[in-house]
């Protein structure tokens, strides 16, 4: 039994250096070989990528995936802790798993960011005894050992470590797509924005070696992948922990040399976004002109309370520089409303920034206090109705600019990478423009996996419709 410790989780020392090691295969308990597994992932792209590893490990041990939980012998919930509603979803789903476990013998496990919270572990140990095992974000590569121990000891096995963190290379993966792939470049975060739990759940900022990343992209290209998304909590800080003279700009140029059709990167932080990086985005033919640049708030008072390390003026300056230098750029953002201490005036400043930036899109949230984060200790006396009313006004403005941005593409020819059948209309295909805009496409032939020219025939707030043009 090893439980998380939030004090340990926030420790960062100058000498912290990630240990980079290779994955070691461990034989899974005989009782599971040949059986089916069910993995449900919540949250961000980082977690989705971890979900691909969990499936990869189970497949490498002779299990096969099922989308029907009733067929599964082992169920793993790969969880997110970024907001309370993420928690609620998992505990809601656990109720369903409990019923199933009363009817058949299944092994139930939880991993991801929620087990990194002590209160969650305490709750699972006291109220969810039917959960057989838990592991965290730092020992994903030890999941087989944790599963085996829980089977051998016939008791709840919890192995969760709070630590700066290491890098495990070479874990088997079962990727969700054969066209577009996630590629980690950096794990963890040291920014400690006061509302954010990620520095505690995912450890210190640590970069993979650039040669490992480039090799992985070359391998993916050989396998026929058309697109890679370089992943990190704060990709603009890539390399700062291991290199003096190599950063995201260098990495983009080296990945561009692999010749893979499309390169994307998320998530950016204004603080580390240099001119060099802007130039690399513009000059590298395979790097897509799409930047996700969270602003979070438009008031300097709130930005300070959030410990975002930039002012609205500095953000606007960077934003305008990207718009000027990167042709046909698409810029989206994240905004939190109702942060403790936010007044109507502060909120009006956020709306003003949205008017100045006219973002192509945004993810908007009501502030959700996270365990042990500094912001959770701040006095928060803004009524829920006020926060909801602010979110509503903000979304109206965001939708307006997102719609205007899409309207500008009406009648234009856009290059679209087709990923799948459209969820919305199965008679159509779906894909993304270079600017990461969703397009539903009419086509008589199967165009999945192709980069096609599409004439945009209809524009809505969050999607476009179009037809293939030769
Ligand atoms: S930069 Fe992002 S991941 Fe890091 S602490 Fe801030 S919000 Fe969290």
């Amino acid at each position: 039994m090893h439980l998380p410790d939030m004090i340990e989780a926030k420790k960062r020392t100058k000498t912290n250096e990630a240990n980079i090691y290779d994955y070691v295969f461990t034989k899974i308990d005989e009782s599971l070989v040949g059986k089916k597994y069910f993995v449900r992932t919540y949250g961000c792209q980082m977690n989705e990528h971890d979900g691909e590893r969990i499936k990869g490990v189970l497949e490498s041990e002779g299990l096969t995936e099922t989308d029907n939980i009733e067929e599964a012998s082992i169920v793993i919930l790969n969880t997110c802790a970024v907001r309370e509603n993420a928690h609620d979803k998992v505990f809601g789903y656990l109720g369903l798993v409990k019923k199933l476990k009363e009817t058949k013998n299944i092994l139930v496990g939880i991993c991801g960011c929620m087990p990194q919270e002590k209160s969650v572990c305490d709750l699972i140990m006291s109220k969810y005894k039917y959960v057989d095992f838990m592991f965290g974000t730092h020992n994903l590569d030890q999941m087989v050992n944790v599963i085996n121990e829980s089977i051998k000891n016939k008791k709840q096995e919890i192995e969760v470590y709070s630590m700066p963190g290491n890098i495990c290379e070479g874990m088997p993966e079962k990727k969700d797509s054969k066209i577009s792939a996630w590629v980690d470049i950096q794990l963890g975060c040291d920014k400690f924005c006061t509302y954010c739990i990620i520095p505690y759940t995912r450890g210190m900022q640590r970069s993979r070696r650039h040669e490992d990343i480039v090799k992985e992209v070359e391998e993916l290209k050989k396998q026929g992948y058309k697109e890679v998304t370089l992943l990190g909590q704060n990709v603009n800080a890539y390399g700062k922990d291991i290199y003096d003279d190599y950063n995201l700009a260098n990495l983009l140029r080296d990945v561009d040399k692999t010749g893979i059709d499309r390169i994307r990167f998320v998530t950016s932080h204004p603080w580390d976004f240099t001119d060099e990086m802007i130039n690399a985005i513009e000059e590298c033919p395979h790097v897509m002109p799409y930047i996700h640049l969270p602003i979070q708030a438009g008031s300097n008072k709130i930005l300070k309370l959030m410990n975002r390390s930039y002012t609205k003026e500095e953000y606007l300056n960077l934003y305008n520089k990207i718009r000027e230098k990167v042709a046909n750029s698409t810029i989206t953002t994240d905004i939190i409303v109702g942060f403790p201490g936010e007044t109507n005036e502060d909120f009006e400043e956020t709306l003003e920034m949205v008017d100045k930036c006219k973002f192509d899109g945004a993810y908007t949230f009501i502030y959700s206090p996270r365990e042990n984060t500094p912001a959770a200790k701040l006095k928060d006396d803004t009524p829920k109705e006020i926060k909801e009313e602010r979110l509503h006004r903000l979304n109206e403005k965001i939708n307006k600019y997102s719609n205007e941005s899409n309207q500008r593409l009406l009648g234009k020819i856009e290059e679209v990478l087709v990923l799948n059948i459209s969820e919305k209309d199965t008679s159509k295909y779906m894909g993304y423009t270079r600017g990461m805009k969703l397009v539903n496409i009419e086509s008589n032939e199967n165009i999945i996996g192709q980069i096609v020219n599409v004439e945009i025939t209809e524009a809505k707030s969050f999607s476009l419709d179009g037809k293939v043009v030769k």
Side-chain angles (χ1 to χ4, degrees):
M1 172 82 74
H2 204 284
L3 296 175
D5 172 335
M6 285 305 220
I7 309 302
E8 276 305 310
K10 73 176 165 196
K11 277 197 185 138
R12 302 285 192 275
T13 62
K14 283 251 167 311
T15 55
N16 272 145
E17 219 173 282
N19 171 20
I20 302 180
Y21 59 94
D22 290 327
Y23 178 67
V24 178
F25 285 84
T26 316
K27 201 131 193 36
I28 204 161
D29 188 282
E30 271 306 309
S31 65
L32 285 172
V33 176
K35 297 288 176 43
K36 292 194 171 163
Y37 69 84
F38 177 92
V39 172
R40 170 169 280 223
T41 289
Y42 300 82
C44 68
Q45 298 102 330
M46 217 58 162
N47 234 18
E48 282 181 31
H49 196 18
D50 281 350
E52 294 179 331
R53 292 191 180 98
I54 294 165
K55 294 180 186 179
V57 168
L58 294 171
E59 303 250 337
S60 72
E61 298 288 344
L63 287 83
T64 49
E65 181 172 17
T66 175
D67 294 337
N68 174 359
I69 193 172
E70 298 190 3
E71 294 174 353
S73 300
I74 178 168
V75 170
I76 299 181
L77 304 185
N78 179 24
T79 64
C80 164
V82 81
R83 273 174 291 279
E84 199 55 25
N85 62 357
H87 274 214
D88 301 344
K89 281 187 199 145
V90 169
F91 286 116
Y93 199 76
L94 272 176
L96 180 151
V97 175
K98 182 173 186 235
K99 284 209 186 66
L100 187 63
K101 190 158 180 166
E102 286 156 2
T103 63
K104 62 173 284 190
N105 178 20
I106 53 170
L107 214 56
V108 177
I110 300 179
C111 66
C113 285
M114 278 175 68
Q116 297 290 147
E117 298 175 272
K118 178 79 171 36
S119 62
V120 169
C121 289
D122 296 343
L123 195 56
I124 297 288
M125 288 192 286
S126 57
K127 293 226 169 55
Y128 296 81
K129 294 187 187 310
Y130 57 89
V131 171
D132 300 291
F133 61 87
M134 287 216 291
F135 56 89
T137 59
H138 292 296
N139 58 336
L140 196 64
D141 60 298
Q142 296 300 315
M143 60 178 273
V144 173
N145 290 324
V146 178
I147 292 169
N148 289 353
E149 285 299 299
S150 77
I151 293 172
K152 193 178 77 194
N153 308 333
K154 295 188 176 43
K155 69 177 182 57
Q156 205 174 50
E157 188 70 27
I158 299 184
E159 288 295 322
V160 180
Y161 297 83
S162 295
M163 53 198 283
N166 297 310
I167 295 175
C168 178
E169 289 286 348
M171 280 190 75
E173 295 176 10
K174 180 184 182 191
K175 289 194 175 296
D176 295 333
S177 166
K178 294 208 169 339
I179 303 163
S180 180
W182 306 119
V183 175
D184 284 345
I185 65 170
Q186 176 225 37
L187 307 174
C189 187
D190 288 347
K191 282 273 177 276
F192 288 99
C193 301
T194 57
Y195 53 84
C196 186
I197 200 159
I198 292 168
Y200 308 88
T201 59
R202 290 205 170 255
M204 73 177 175
Q205 199 164 283
R206 49 207 193 279
S207 303
R208 293 180 63 203
R209 292 175 295 223
H210 60 77
E211 58 271 26
D212 293 336
I213 297 166
V214 172
K215 207 168 87 219
E216 184 175 342
V217 175
E218 282 164 347
E219 188 46 46
L220 288 165
K221 183 169 182 286
K222 268 198 227 118
Q223 293 169 21
Y225 279 86
K226 289 273 183 0
E227 179 178 75
V228 291
T229 299
L230 307 180
L231 277 184
Q233 307 292 355
N234 169 15
V235 289
N236 303 84
Y238 171 75
K240 287 178 91 169
D241 51 310
I242 52 175
Y243 303 122
D244 298 331
D245 57 357
Y246 192 99
N247 58 37
L248 180 67
N250 306 100
L251 183 67
L252 288 174
R253 291 184 190 282
D254 284 346
V255 173
D256 189 67
K257 288 184 198 127
T258 67
I260 192 154
D261 295 285
R262 288 184 164 199
I263 302 163
R264 299 186 184 281
F265 55 92
V266 284
T267 295
S268 287
H269 189 292
W271 174 252
D272 300 300
F273 214 129
T274 63
D275 291 357
E276 225 189 326
M277 293 169 191
I278 299 174
N279 297 338
I281 297 166
E282 176 55 16
E283 292 159 14
C284 294
H286 304 289
V287 174
M288 298 296 109
Y290 167 67
I291 293 114
H292 183 60
L293 190 66
I295 185 173
Q296 303 297 5
S299 135
N300 286 341
K301 181 191 98 189
I302 298 297
L303 288 172
K304 199 160 179 35
L305 286 171
M306 287 177 164
N307 187 32
R308 289 291 290 174
S309 341
Y310 54 81
T311 62
K312 63 179 180 179
E313 292 80 12
E314 286 163 336
Y315 182 94
L316 197 55
N317 182 32
L318 169 64
Y319 183 93
N320 291 335
K321 218 190 273 180
I322 295 171
R323 283 293 196 203
E324 266 156 47
K325 289 206 172 165
V326 179
N328 306 315
S329 63
T330 296
I331 305 181
T332 58
T333 194
D334 293 342
I335 300 176
I336 294 172
V337 299
F339 188 80
E342 182 187 69
T343 61
N344 285 337
E345 293 69 36
D346 294 322
F347 176 63
E348 291 303 328
E349 288 185 70
T350 295
L351 294 182
E352 276 164 31
M353 278 302 280
V354 173
D355 285 332
K356 285 194 181 122
C357 293
K358 297 182 176 50
F359 294 105
D360 296 284
Y363 302 92
T364 57
F365 315 95
I366 290 181
Y367 167 70
S368 172
R370 307 319 304 139
E371 176 185 328
N372 273 311
T373 56
K377 301 181 186 73
L378 296 176
K379 188 158 159 282
D380 183 2
D381 49 16
T382 308
K384 193 159 171 290
E385 304 67 47
I386 299 287
K387 295 187 181 193
E388 285 165 354
E389 192 253 335
R390 287 177 185 166
L391 185 67
H392 178 69
R393 288 182 57 203
L394 174 64
N395 286 341
E396 275 184 337
K397 210 175 259 300
I398 293 290
N399 300 351
K400 173 174 154 257
Y401 290 122
S402 172
N403 191 299
E404 285 176 7
S405 159
N406 283 352
Q407 293 299 332
R408 284 194 289 274
L409 296 180
L410 214 47
K412 296 261 176 50
I413 308 293
E414 284 286 312
E415 210 189 74
V416 176
L417 171 58
V418 183
L419 295 176
N420 215 328
I421 299 285
S422 167
E423 271 166 30
K424 228 177 73 230
D425 176 346
T426 54
S427 71
K428 292 185 174 176
Y429 296 91
M430 62 72 67
Y432 290 94
T433 65
R434 293 170 59 84
M436 201 60 186
K437 288 181 180 287
L438 172 62
V439 189
N440 295 302
I441 311 154
E442 273 169 41
S443 169
N444 304 330
E445 56 196 75
N446 180 344
I447 51 175
I448 293 177
Q450 296 177 35
I451 295 179
V452 292
N453 289 325
V454 175
E455 180 186 343
I456 304 301
T457 54
E458 195 178 342
K460 302 169 189 128
S461 293
F462 306 115
S463 69
L464 302 159
D465 289 317
K467 62 180 192 290
V468 175
V469 289
K470 291 282 173 256

